[in-house]
Amino acid sequence: MLSMKNISKVFKTDLVETHALRDFNLEVAEGEFVAVTGPSGSGKTTFLNIAGLLEGFTQGDYFLDGVNISNMSDNKSAAIRNEKIGFIFQGFNLIPDLNLAENVEVPLRYRGFNAKERKRRVQKALEQVGLAARMKHLPSQLSGGQQQRVAIARALAGEPRFLLADEPTGNLDSMMARQVMELLEDINKAGTTIIMVTHDAELARRAQRNIQIVDGQVCDFTMYQSGEGHQGGERASEKPHLVTESHVSLNQDKVAS
Amino acid sequence: MFFYYLDLAWRSIKKTPLMSLLMVLAISIGIGITITTLNVYQLMSENPAGERSDKLVAVQLWSQGKDAWKEFNNQLTYQDAYNLRKSDVPVRQTAMFITGLALQTEDPDFVPLLESVRVTDSDFFDMFSVPFIYGKAWDKGVDTEALYQVVINEVLNKQLFSGEDSIGKTLYLDSKPYQIVGVTKTWSPSPLYFDVTTGAFKDSAQIFVPFSLAPIEEFQSWGNNQSWKRESINNYSQRLNSEMHWIQFWAEVQDDKQRDEYAQWLKRYVEQQQLIGRFDSPEAAAQLSNVAQWLELNEVVPEDNKILVGLSALFLVVCLVNMLGLLLAKFLKRAPEIGVRRAIGASRAQIFSQHMVEVGLIGFGGGVLGLVWAWVSLSLLSSRFDLEQSLTHLDTSMWLIAPVIAIFAALVAGTYPALRICSTNPSVHLKSQ
Amino acid sequence: MLQIKPILSTLMRNKSGPILLLIQIILSVAIVANASFIISERIALMDRDSGTAEDQVFNFRLYTFDTNIDLESQIQRDIRAIRDLPGVIDASTTSMVPLSGGGWSSGYTVGSSEETAKDTEGAAIYYGDEHIVNSLGVELIEGRNFYEEEILTGSPDLATHGIVSKAFAKETWGDEPAIGQIMYAGDFGEMPIKIIGVVDKLQGAWVNSSYLDNSVILNIQLVNVFTKVLVRAEVGTLAQLKEAIPATLHKDNRNRVIEGFTLISEHRKRVYRNHELMATVLSMMVVLLLLITSLGLAGMVMFNIERRTKQIGTRRALGAKKRDIISFFLVENYIICLVGGVIGGFVAVLLGQQLMSLYSLPQLDLIYPLMTVAGLIVLTTIAVILPARKAARISPAIATRSV
């Protein structure tokens, strides 16, 4: 499904070069539920952005569903995002001026579906997250958990093969977080591959597979069979750094407090 | 997709009403000013001869002496006009000037009116495409053998004969009976290109009489009379034989070949006159101008107007820069939303189009409002300054020009902000809350 | 106290906003400076005095188409009848009416011998009788008026005595006294005219001519089927004289058209119409331009404040006073205004030169760009202070709030 080989990502500013990802290798099989953890500044978000085709990378190969992503044009990657990938964000990122149905409809618009098909899919996606009745409400009228469910509906509406979640429960209280997590698990069971970035170890443990990113590299991965605990997070052995300043944290990698 | 963008644009405009209003206002004022000045410019610079512009030529002669005027006068002397009328090169030709005569009818209670009258030849009507309702111009023979015949226009015909066919009826000019031979439709080209000597934006005369009557009836000239020579002119025959310039002269040629032929004929005329002691300047020559050249030559569009059009174009640029700033601010504020749309699969082109549609909508609003401003300012100006209606009506072409300029200008201003917003990296805005 | 350096670096970092503002100010200065220059030019033109009693003097046209009468005695009868009407101060026939846009003009020959003879500048020619000076309401400052017996009737060529305007006298004879000089209507020696008086000021008919103030009054009562009549009457009597004059003259002879009653003040309005129009449109432009520039500026400041809310809160938390916040935005504005003003001044001069080379405009006076920049500074201060006051009210607590 997803295959990253020797991916590197270097951010250059006038003063420093920062390696956000270095020789990053990862294979994710169809239908897997993968949790990605790692300390702040480790490169989690960069990984997610690259996986979601939001950012390019400096070196390496990335195949998504058998398609080579390297050097793909903006138009093509937009189309792939639209058709194959669903995004769920920590901050929900609903468009505040649009009501729920219109929010869910956004990807369908860009896909070019006709009105009837859009309506059918919006209805279905919102039913899936249990919010069909509130279709005409604005995001601001909903609780955080409900908003996140709408965001999930939006991600699902396009029937993606592949769901990317960035701290999906980070802004939710524990009860709502559990609801959202259960919803994600249901979706995964229905066949959608999910990659979830989180720093909540407990949440990560519920995924089939756990990956830890440290200093821009996959450090440790373990298969979890049945919720058996394992404390990941040991720091990788000190490898010789190619360039100095690998600890510079990227500004977009701030962890919400 | 267009309607989706339109819907989004409308929502976005509604969401920030003050800012949108500011932008629409900025562009509409720019458009309003530009359209106001452009409208007057267009009306002034119109070439009313249309496709006949190249066939109609105004004739000028450098007949003045050595130290006199340093340019062609735009009128001729009577003697030159008289001689030129004899040429058989042009298809048609006419000499003319404007006079004023007291108009009376057979009704003794009719209070005499002082009317301006064009004294001209029979070819005038065909040359300048004057449409007739009744009758036609006087016969060509009248141009040499004078008869008291007259052509009047529709308005006067209505006033005097309540609009009936008045051919054959009589009216009195300076107490002389004239027979009506033709009634023209209301016709007044703007600018009044064939006679710009006393202002190009006046109405045409309502009465036309044969030029051949001028020496008999001694019609006074109401136009410009310019002399370079100090000579005493105390009666009409002295005037006819003088070097005073007061007659306009136009000819119609079939094509460029005939125009060249006519120019040759005029050249020989100049040489011939030199032989008899006139045209003693070394610069003596003849000059032909078609209608477009004639309007240019006479600066029918005043300088002020050109300055105004230029300044208002600059003004529009200021409005656009203003709008550009506001758009940039507005769009960048929306970056997080655009980040989401990009993540969800909108391509750059789609985001760009979305914003351009919004900008275009604002431009359209500005264009429509700008038309209203232009209309308001034109009516205010025309009522305050008592301007000719022919210069201040909002030309129908502006209904198209205004929105087109407005939308185009807005799109130009919107391109940079739209490019900025669609090229920002979506991932930057997804995390930051 | 003024933190110019941090402001500068803020400006440099967010280039596009300030650059746009800069362009706007540059163009505004260029346009406003040139426009106000043209406006003041036109106002100065319109303010020129014609020298006549403009609110009292009016003219009308008299067209006699009766060929069976003695025109000369008819006209003299008419003028006398008009002088006797109530409200009328004086009346005369004339060849032209000041500021009316139509009339007579010519140059004359002066000099002491055929060899040294030269042409004078052009001058407007008023043919009239001994009443014309009073009818125009011009002030005779030297010499004398015509005597009744000096007035000749008929052809303009007969003129023998002249009264000239001070401007014409000065241009023609310099410091020499004009009274007693001779000028010739023809070549040297032909048709001599003796100067007997000088009026303080009398303009001709064409306000755009270079010799507007050059006028000559000659001792001829014109006899023509078209006659222009000048009447000076008490202010406010025109409406009633408009009725009374035709009634009186028609009683004598019906075969004429009497029309076109116009005060010189109305001629002034009409003849300067295009200048006034230009000045009006340009003033409109200037006002709107300043309005748009300041609205745009206010909008940008508002946006900047929103974007920098957190930063402003942090500054407040670190001890900045409200005044400091406002002065931050003001200084930012002044930097842009000054840079824009300097560049705008150059552009204004360039634009002025362009206009000067293309059209008949004089050189732009530097005071205009300066005044414009000064005006912009005042205006933008208001446009900045209003939204900046809002910024100053931002609570320092914002800084500690993270989301």
Side-chain angles (χ1 to χ4, degrees):
Chain A
M1 180 74 218
L2 175 146
S3 157
M4 287 185 175
K5 290 195 182 105
N6 302 323
I7 297 277
S8 298
K9 173 84 180 182
V10 184
F11 289 100
K12 280 185 191 165
T13 64
D14 296 343
L15 299 172
V16 289
E17 261 186 14
T18 312
H19 286 240
L21 292 181
R22 283 186 285 148
D23 284 335
F24 189 93
N25 288 292
L26 181 67
E27 298 277 340
V28 175
E30 177 123 36
E32 264 192 301
F33 191 147
V34 179
V36 179
T37 57
S40 175
S42 59
K44 290 191 307 263
T45 299
T46 306
F47 157 69
L48 204 73
N49 285 342
I50 290 174
L53 275 56
L54 292 176
E55 265 178 38
F57 43 91
T58 320
Q59 259 178 4
D61 290 310
Y62 173 22
F63 291 87
L64 181 69
D65 207 12
V67 182
N68 188 352
I69 303 302
S70 324
N71 300 324
M72 183 171 265
S73 78
D74 183 80
N75 259 344
K76 264 197 189 141
S77 54
I80 290 182
R81 283 202 298 273
N82 187 276
E83 279 175 43
K84 296 192 175 166
I85 307 174
F87 282 95
I88 301 164
F89 306 99
Q90 177 180 6
F92 325 135
N93 281 345
L94 294 176
I95 298 172
D97 314 333
L98 305 181
N99 66 30
L100 304 194
E102 288 162 341
N103 258 292
V104 175
E105 197 190 24
V106 171
L108 308 177
R109 287 275 189 179
Y110 291 122
R111 186 93 67 94
F113 286 134
N114 64 30
K116 203 174 142 203
E117 176 69 8
R118 288 202 304 268
K119 203 173 168 197
R120 188 185 70 76
R121 289 197 180 213
V122 167
Q123 180 76 26
K124 191 179 145 201
L126 279 172
E127 271 167 13
Q128 222 171 331
V129 300
L131 283 169
R134 311 191 124 189
M135 208 173 256
K136 300 287 176 208
H137 288 210
L138 287 174
S140 56
Q141 294 167 303
L142 302 183
S143 72
Q146 286 169 324
Q147 287 192 40
Q148 190 59 299
R149 273 150 59 198
V150 176
I152 293 172
R154 184 174 66 186
L156 291 179
E159 295 175 358
R161 307 273 308 279
F162 180 41
L163 212 57
L164 287 173
D166 189 3
E167 303 273 9
T169 58
N171 280 0
L172 302 178
D173 63 33
S174 56
M175 199 181 79
M176 284 188 176
R178 205 174 331 119
Q179 282 180 2
V180 165
M181 194 57 203
E182 278 161 12
L183 189 55
L184 288 178
E185 281 166 347
D186 287 347
I187 293 164
N188 177 244
K189 274 183 200 130
T192 309
T193 313
I194 298 182
I195 296 181
M196 177 178 74
V197 167
T198 181
H199 66 282
D200 182 338
E202 199 181 324
L203 218 58
R205 228 171 292 133
R206 294 175 66 162
Q208 291 166 3
R209 183 153 69 120
N210 234 340
I211 296 167
Q212 197 181 24
I213 301 179
V214 173
D215 277 355
Q217 286 188 312
V218 177
C219 162
D220 179 16
F221 67 99
T222 317
M223 293 286 248
Y224 289 91
Q225 295 303 328
S226 54
E228 194 185 312
H230 174 95
Q231 282 301 103
E234 272 172 52
R235 208 176 146 84
S237 56
E238 287 291 316
K239 290 194 175 174
H241 287 182
L242 297 172
V243 181
T244 55
E245 296 292 345
S246 66
H247 295 281
V248 172
S249 90
L250 301 172
N251 57 357
Q252 70 262 50
D253 225 345
K254 276 176 281 172
V255 174
S257 52
Chain B
M1 224 39 195
F2 178 73
F3 291 100
Y4 181 52
Y5 296 148
L6 216 53
D7 179 43
L8 290 179
W10 181 236
R11 282 164 191 261
S12 154
I13 288 170
K14 270 197 310 198
K15 199 186 164 199
T16 54
L18 208 66
M19 203 155 188
S20 308
L21 191 70
L22 209 60
M23 284 190 275
V24 170
L25 223 54
I27 194 160
S28 72
I29 291 175
I31 290 292
I33 289 262
T34 309
I35 292 297
T36 304
T37 58
L38 207 60
N39 189 62
V40 178
Y41 181 84
Q42 169 148 339
L43 293 175
M44 282 188 160
S45 60
E46 211 167 317
N47 184 340
E51 54 200 26
R52 287 177 62 76
S53 168
D54 288 335
K55 294 192 171 167
L56 299 174
V57 288
V59 183
Q60 289 169 284
L61 293 172
W62 194 295
S63 67
Q64 62 267 36
K66 278 192 205 87
D67 299 320
W69 308 317
K70 298 283 171 276
E71 58 186 7
F72 282 99
N73 193 282
N74 54 23
Q75 300 184 104
L76 303 184
T77 64
Y78 179 83
Q79 41 177 330
D80 287 323
Y82 186 80
N83 294 335
L84 258 46
R85 279 169 91 222
K86 291 180 190 154
S87 168
D88 49 13
V89 181
V91 193
R92 299 189 180 93
Q93 56 197 344
T94 178
M96 57 188 171
F97 64 96
I98 201 94
T99 186
L101 298 171
L103 168 69
Q104 287 169 294
T105 63
E106 292 181 315
D107 177 2
D109 290 336
F110 185 85
V111 182
L113 294 170
L114 186 55
E115 282 287 331
S116 69
V117 174
R118 183 158 292 278
V119 185
T120 187
D121 284 316
S122 59
D123 278 348
F124 174 87
F125 304 93
D126 278 340
M127 282 175 74
F128 299 110
S129 320
V130 188
F132 278 87
I133 325 179
Y134 305 121
K136 55 182 177 52
W138 51 85
D139 287 335
K140 212 157 170 50
V142 178
D143 292 337
T144 42
E145 298 298 321
L147 284 178
Y148 287 83
Q149 293 187 338
V150 63
V151 170
I152 61 174
N153 81 350
E154 197 178 353
V155 178
L156 195 62
N157 191 50
K158 202 159 207 167
Q159 192 182 341
L160 302 181
F161 306 103
S162 52
E164 288 167 25
D165 184 347
S166 55
I167 303 300
K169 292 198 173 155
T170 304
L171 55 76
Y172 294 86
L173 296 172
D174 275 14
S175 313
K176 288 265 170 57
Y178 285 69
Q179 192 194 18
I180 298 174
V181 294
V183 178
T184 73
K185 274 196 193 136
T186 307
W187 166 86
S188 192
S190 172
L192 200 63
Y193 57 103
F194 50 80
D195 182 6
V196 296
T197 51
T198 53
F201 296 97
K202 300 193 162 168
D203 283 339
S204 161
Q206 306 200 69
I207 303 175
F208 303 85
V209 297
F211 188 78
S212 49
L213 279 175
I216 304 167
E217 278 299 307
E218 308 198 340
F219 297 132
Q220 305 232 353
S221 161
W222 270 22
N224 278 359
N225 304 286
Q226 288 160 300
S227 291
W228 52 272
K229 195 171 174 181
R230 290 205 177 99
E231 52 191 346
S232 149
I233 300 174
N234 291 319
N235 58 45
Y236 210 75
S237 74
Q238 278 176 342
R239 170 182 266 267
L240 297 185
N241 293 313
S242 72
E243 292 291 346
M244 179 193 272
H245 290 242
W246 58 291
I247 309 279
Q248 301 113 41
F249 198 93
W250 284 79
E252 180 182 342
V253 292
Q254 243 161 9
D255 46 30
D256 285 354
K257 191 170 152 276
Q258 196 171 54
R259 180 178 163 149
D260 292 342
E261 228 173 282
Y262 189 43
Q264 283 304 318
W265 187 91
L266 287 168
K267 196 167 170 244
R268 282 197 302 280
Y269 174 74
V270 171
E271 287 161 4
Q272 192 193 328
Q273 291 295 311
Q274 281 170 328
L275 284 180
I276 60 168
R278 293 181 69 224
F279 290 68
D280 61 355
S281 162
E283 281 157 295
Q287 175 168 290
L288 295 178
S289 318
N290 66 23
V291 178
Q293 292 163 332
W294 184 247
L295 295 176
E296 183 67 26
L297 192 71
N298 284 286
E299 290 177 354
V300 166
V301 182
E303 278 182 358
D304 276 4
N305 204 261
K306 294 181 188 167
I307 295 175
L308 281 181
V309 171
L311 285 182
S312 54
L314 278 179
F315 187 104
L316 185 60
V317 173
V318 175
C319 294
L320 291 184
V321 173
N322 196 318
M323 186 178 166
L324 207 163
L326 293 172
L327 280 175
L328 195 63
K330 180 171 182 175
F331 287 178
L332 289 184
K333 215 166 118 185
R334 201 195 282 160
E337 179 194 322
I338 297 310
V340 177
R341 287 183 179 274
R342 292 276 285 138
I344 283 173
S347 66
R348 277 194 189 137
Q350 285 171 320
I351 297 297
F352 184 74
S353 316
Q354 178 193 334
H355 287 90
M356 288 312 254
V357 168
E358 180 171 344
V359 170
L361 192 62
I362 293 172
F364 179 74
V368 171
L369 192 59
L371 261 183
V372 175
W373 294 144
W375 181 78
V376 168
S377 64
L378 281 172
S379 3
L380 280 182
L381 289 177
S382 73
S383 69
R384 169 138 165 54
F385 293 100
D386 190 25
L387 295 174
E388 292 87 356
Q389 222 263 325
S390 61
L391 286 185
T392 53
H393 70 92
L394 194 59
D395 197 70
T396 37
S397 63
M398 293 299 158
W399 290 94
L400 192 65
I401 292 176
V404 167
I405 296 185
I407 292 175
F408 178 75
L411 290 181
V412 168
T415 303
Y416 175 68
L419 277 177
R420 271 285 292 271
I421 186 71
C422 79
S423 61
T424 47
N425 190 341
S427 59
V428 175
H429 299 286
L430 294 175
K431 264 267 182 175
S432 59
Q433 261 281 298
Chain C
M1 180 225 137
L2 295 177
Q3 332 88 316
I4 289 186
K5 234 183 141 185
I7 293 175
L8 265 181
S9 59
T10 318
L11 282 176
M12 294 312 283
R13 235 173 296 123
N14 306 305
K15 280 186 220 82
S16 45
I19 283 180
L20 289 175
L21 220 55
L22 198 66
I23 295 175
Q24 208 174 324
I25 287 180
I26 291 171
L27 285 174
S28 299
V29 170
I31 298 175
V32 171
N34 277 288
S36 37
F37 176 59
I38 297 175
I39 293 170
S40 67
E41 197 76 14
R42 297 301 160 98
I43 289 176
L45 277 184
M46 292 189 289
D47 274 349
R48 292 175 304 179
D49 180 19
S50 70
T52 63
E54 295 182 12
D55 291 327
Q56 292 185 333
V57 183
F58 64 87
N59 72 295
F60 66 90
R61 286 188 297 272
L62 175 59
Y63 179 49
T64 311
F65 51 90
D66 192 335
T67 45
N68 307 319
I69 50 156
D70 175 13
L71 198 56
E72 186 179 323
S73 59
Q74 172 77 63
I75 288 172
Q76 281 168 352
R77 256 197 337 269
D78 290 343
I79 296 295
R80 271 198 302 274
I82 293 168
R83 282 178 196 148
D84 289 341
L85 285 172
V88 173
I89 298 170
D90 212 339
S92 166
T93 58
T94 185
S95 53
M96 63 189 278
V97 180
L99 309 185
S100 65
W104 303 46
S105 79
S106 175
Y108 290 87
T109 313
V110 291
S112 49
S113 68
E114 196 148 349
E115 288 71 45
T116 60
K118 64 175 174 80
D119 285 351
T120 66
E121 280 292 307
I125 313 171
Y126 291 87
Y127 293 106
D129 60 18
E130 75 277 15
H131 290 275
I132 192 169
V133 171
N134 190 32
S135 297
L136 283 166
V138 291
E139 188 193 347
L140 195 65
I141 52 168
E142 274 177 60
R144 61 168 178 88
N145 195 355
F146 305 125
Y147 298 134
E148 195 180 342
E149 58 273 20
E150 284 168 349
I151 304 302
L152 305 165
T153 44
S155 157
D157 291 353
L158 306 172
T160 53
H161 289 67
I163 297 171
V164 298
S165 67
K166 196 167 79 181
F168 181 77
K170 181 123 181 75
E171 205 163 319
T172 309
W173 294 289
D175 294 332
E176 283 179 54
I179 308 294
Q181 299 276 5
I182 302 289
M183 61 184 192
Y184 303 96
D187 290 336
F188 183 79
E190 290 171 18
M191 297 187 270
I193 294 165
K194 187 175 160 207
I195 308 302
I196 57 162
V198 177
V199 292
D200 187 36
K201 191 165 182 80
L202 174 57
Q203 292 189 328
W206 307 274
V207 292
N208 295 325
S209 97
S210 56
Y211 50 85
L212 176 62
D213 288 331
N214 289 358
S215 298
V216 175
I217 306 172
L218 301 178
N219 59 331
I220 301 292
Q221 182 174 53
L222 293 175
V223 175
N224 194 310
V225 288
F226 287 101
T227 304
K228 279 182 190 151
V229 182
L230 267 182
V231 181
R232 184 172 168 203
E234 306 290 350
V235 175
T237 53
L238 175 59
Q240 144 210 345
L241 286 172
K242 242 183 202 170
E243 306 290 326
I245 290 175
T248 311
L249 300 193
H250 274 146
K251 221 183 283 168
D252 189 326
N253 183 344
R254 233 190 116 60
N255 283 337
R256 45 251 202 101
V257 180
I258 298 158
E259 55 159 44
F261 289 84
T262 316
L263 279 168
I264 295 185
S265 56
E266 294 171 60
H267 283 302
R268 160 178 290 277
K269 229 171 159 180
R270 198 169 306 156
V271 82
Y272 282 117
R273 190 184 72 180
N274 286 340
H275 290 314
E276 201 188 342
L277 185 63
M278 181 82 168
T280 308
V281 174
L282 285 176
S283 313
M284 229 161 73
M285 243 187 225
V286 167
V287 170
L288 289 174
L289 192 67
L290 293 178
L291 187 77
I292 285 197
T293 306
S294 28
L295 279 181
L297 181 66
M300 297 281 274
V301 170
M302 242 169 338
F303 167 73
N304 273 338
I305 288 166
E306 257 175 65
R307 216 177 42 177
R308 292 191 211 151
T309 301
K310 193 162 173 181
Q311 194 200 87
I312 294 166
T314 312
R315 279 173 190 278
R316 295 274 284 135
L318 293 175
K321 294 189 206 70
K322 287 190 175 185
R323 213 182 48 211
D324 297 330
I325 301 297
I326 293 179
S327 72
F328 179 90
F329 284 103
L330 275 180
V331 171
E332 187 178 72
N333 169 60
Y334 291 148
I335 292 174
I336 296 178
C337 262
L338 284 179
V339 175
V342 171
I343 304 176
F346 278 114
V347 177
V349 171
L350 284 180
L351 181 66
Q353 280 173 351
Q354 197 64 27
L355 289 175
M356 195 172 69
S357 69
L358 285 177
Y359 308 111
S360 47
L361 283 182
Q363 170 124 36
L364 177 68
D365 200 331
L366 273 180
I367 191 76
Y368 289 93
L370 288 177
M371 291 291 287
T372 309
V373 175
L376 267 178
I377 286 179
V378 173
L379 210 61
T380 54
T381 303
I382 301 169
V384 168
I385 281 189
L386 292 180
R389 283 222 318 250
K390 198 174 124 198
R393 263 182 257 126
I394 289 173
S395 155
I398 290 268
T400 55
R401 236 175 273 149
S402 60
V403 177

